[in-house]
Amino acid sequence: MFRTAVRNVLAHKARLLMTVLAVMLGVAFVSGTLVFTDTLGNAFRNQSAKNYDEVAVAVTTWAERGDEETPAVDEATRKKIEDLDGVAEATGRVSGFAGVADPDGKLIGNGWSNTGSNYSPGTDGKDAQYTFTEGTGPVKDGQIALDRETASKGEYRVGAPVRVATNGPVKEYTLSGVFTTEDGAVNAGGSLVLFDTEVAQQLYLRPGQFSDVTVTAAAGASDQQLLEAVKPLLPESAEAKTGAALADEEAEMTESGLKSLNSMLLAFAAIALFVGVFLIANTFTMLIAQRTKELALMRAVGASRRQVKRAILLEAGVVGLIASVTGFLLGVGLATGLRSAMGVFGGKIPAGPLVVSPTAVASAFGVGVLITVFAAWLPARRAAKIPPVAAMSSVHAVATTKSLVVRNSIGAVITLIGSALIVTGAAQGDENGRWLLGGGAFLALIGVIVLIPLLSRPVIALARPLLRRLFGVSGKLAAQNAVRNPRRTGATASALAIGLTLVTGISVLGVTLGQAIDKMTTDNIRADYMVSMASGDSLDESALDALRNADGVAAATPQRSVWLTAGKGGVSASGVTPGDVEKVFNLKVVSGSLSSLKDGEIAVDRKTAKSHGWKTGDSVPVTFDDEKKETLKVGALYEGNEFLSPVLIPEDVVAPHESVADIREVWLTMDGGQSAANEKAVIDALGDNPAMSVMDRQGIRDMFGGFINTALNIMYALLAMALVIAVLGVVNTLAMSVFERQQEIGMLRAIGLDRRRVKRMIRLEAVVISLFGAVVGVGLGTFLGWAIGKSLSASIPGYALVIPWDRLALFLVLAGLVGVLASLWPARSGAKLNMLTAIKTE
């Protein structure tokens, strides 16, 4: 039977090509994901080990500039550590944000990974953490060194002036050297600026103090013994660990992050393989139908049902094995390409070999073979039931509508249960509701797939008059062919329906959320511009002063982050400018007046006031972060604003309680509104600082809603594989259907249907099947998008369902185009059939 199976695969290799391609693409997705994440994990683990290879003990404090209470490691302590027996060197470090401008004045890097630190040469005059390719490290005020990638992007050479921004004003430095590093910030696409130690301490902490210390061991010294010797010398809040322990922690964090990426990519691979199941099942069903006489003769000469079933499953196994080999090789190539692509898009992966683990190999081959055999199991079971007497007839009986009654009943019950769970989960809205919704979505999708053969007849029947009117005989025949075998049409359409259900669902949800966020932005903001740090850090108060004095500024208020302990617990507050805050935000007053802010009173949003039992005129005792207490009077209640904290407090009330202001944004309203001149005035007031972001209203809307479009594009790209496999399914069904109907096509040609109309008939059949699958997918996807959005609506202000009719229409048009493209080869093959040869074909 094995030899028979291999011969059958070779005999039908052309008809099995699409099956091989579908499995190959799914296996490539799986193996590529595993090889890529294994390679990344190995590279980052090696980098962590390398970074801490020379580190015996690492000391960490959480001291920050302006925070006088959290102790750092001073120079005297660093020197005591360095004088310990077994210590070769103790290097102090301070770090913070530093942004470098490119030739156009724009920030190099992505903001959050733009870092500044100190250059700390040892007794040999070198800092072991950096290797200089040009020049030397900075040794005095006014000098800096840059990592090689940043220097290249900025076109800087040693001796050139470089504009560097920290949280304060931009300052110009002289480039003293260029170095290479394995620093994580640089690998993440950011930049690293090295300052002289005294300059870095002044910028990021306090003179003579370090936030971290790295201890290098002398030859023969024990890291653990050094750790025990260092601990007693440290401030109480400082933490010390061995370099090996820190390397292990970083490796665990990397693996945790990659595990999430791995799971997401494998989920989409599973979707692609699930779609492929329909293609494989359809292929083997049609092959078995075409080989009815052959299989019946095998039964007649003594083959048992078990042997017939085993032979077909062996064929599937051989096909799966071939597809797994090619898919695995393609996946390794895909992983290599992804690794290179990350470098092109600014993400630097540490050097290291491509990792092909036994797990990746076993998973790829296991998935490929098992999926193929699983998909072929039901067709094989049907084949085993073919009676020997079937060899006497020329055509095996096609399933009738009556034979689908049980299947349709089961499908209807599953669909109804799934729909009920979806509606219940959407209405409930909490975490339990989302579990109900997820289970209901799965059941509804399965139920619709089971029902698709039944749905095909009435749905396609609606299009039959239009096809007959527009395309005559070709259209009429195409509609009849599309419903001739409901199971086959359903399996082919199901693949497209699954892909478009997911695409439509995320489109409806994404557009709805995007509109809600956009509406939230326009409804709550009156400001013309928002100024913030590209790094996400706090702005310096000097920036706020500069903006208030800028030409054309009519109103300016900071968003000064404050935490108050009050009433039943803590509450966040925004330190704002009285009189200006209502000019830059839309604030609907419920009671009292916002003018009370000028008298040192506070304003509270209505929901927060209700939860604490506060009302206008109440005196509220609060405790600030410095543990000083005050009693503040509630001067106004207002409807909540998503861009402000629940409590508004005058900034001059906050200032005495903070050594350094935590200013997250500054909001500006300009005389004359938004204009190029006003924007330039704001930028000039900030000293053309590349690290400070100036956004107009559209920029603000894009910032808050842009991640929705980014997420949608990523989802579309990941679902593309499933849609490609669905297209292969249409091609495969048509090609094998044309082969199956050779005699019929020959007869049509003989009675006058020319080649052009034969092509049109096959093309229209493909379009009808594709559009049928698309209509089902778009309908179910819209329903799921509504349900998921409804379950989230309570936490999204201004939520309202938005149906993206333009996108849905585009999906249907693309489905029709898919049908046309998928039919090119089958239509050409059908039109080229020799009518006399075809008529004689059994």
Side-chain angles (χ1 to χ4, degrees), residues 583-605:
K583 296 177 183 177
V584 297
F585 293 106
N586 285 318
L587 297 173
K588 183 180 178 182
V589 178
V590 177
S591 64
S593 172
L594 291 174
S595 62
S596 62
L597 290 169
K598 294 180 180 179
D599 300 324
E601 299 178 1
I602 62 174
V604 185
D605 82 46

Side-chain angles (χ1 to χ4, degrees), residues 505-567:
I506 63 174
S507 296
V508 171
L509 182 62
V511 171
T512 298
L513 293 179
Q515 291 277 8
I517 291 172
D518 191 62
K519 185 176 185 299
M520 178 181 70
T521 306
T522 54
D523 287 354
N524 289 323
I525 295 174
R526 299 175 65 184
D528 296 310
Y529 298 102
M530 182 188 80
V531 178
S532 61
M533 291 293 295
S535 62
D537 292 334
S538 299
L539 286 159
D540 192 83
E541 284 190 274
S542 61
L544 175 60
D545 294 336
L547 289 169
R548 281 178 170 151
N549 295 322
D551 293 338
V553 173
T557 183
Q559 166 75 288
R560 191 165 178 163
S561 184
V562 186
W563 183 257
L564 304 174
T565 302

Side-chain angles (χ1 to χ4, degrees), residues 544 548 556-560 574-577 651 663 665-667:
L544 175 60
R548 281 178 170 151
T557 183
Q559 166 75 288
R560 191 165 178 163
S574 293
V576 297
T577 304
E651 58 178 324
I663 302 174
E665 305 113 19
V666 176
W667 300 83

Side-chain angles (χ1 to χ4, degrees), residues 19 43 84 94 111 191 193 236 295 315 332 365 443 593 602 610 617 630 712 729 751 831:
T19 298
L84 289 172
V94 288
S191 61
V193 181
E236 188 175 332
L295 295 171
E315 289 179 39
V332 172
F365 282 85
L443 290 176
S593 172
I602 62 174
K610 183 178 179 181
E630 283 195 33
L712 279 177
I751 61 175

Side-chain angles (χ1 to χ4, degrees), residues 28 53 78 96 101 182 244 246 266 346 506 511 518 566 597 706 743 764:
D53 188 41
R78 186 202 68 80
E182 291 296 327
L246 285 174
L266 288 177
I506 63 174
V511 171
D518 191 62
L597 290 169
Q743 190 177 56
L764 288 173

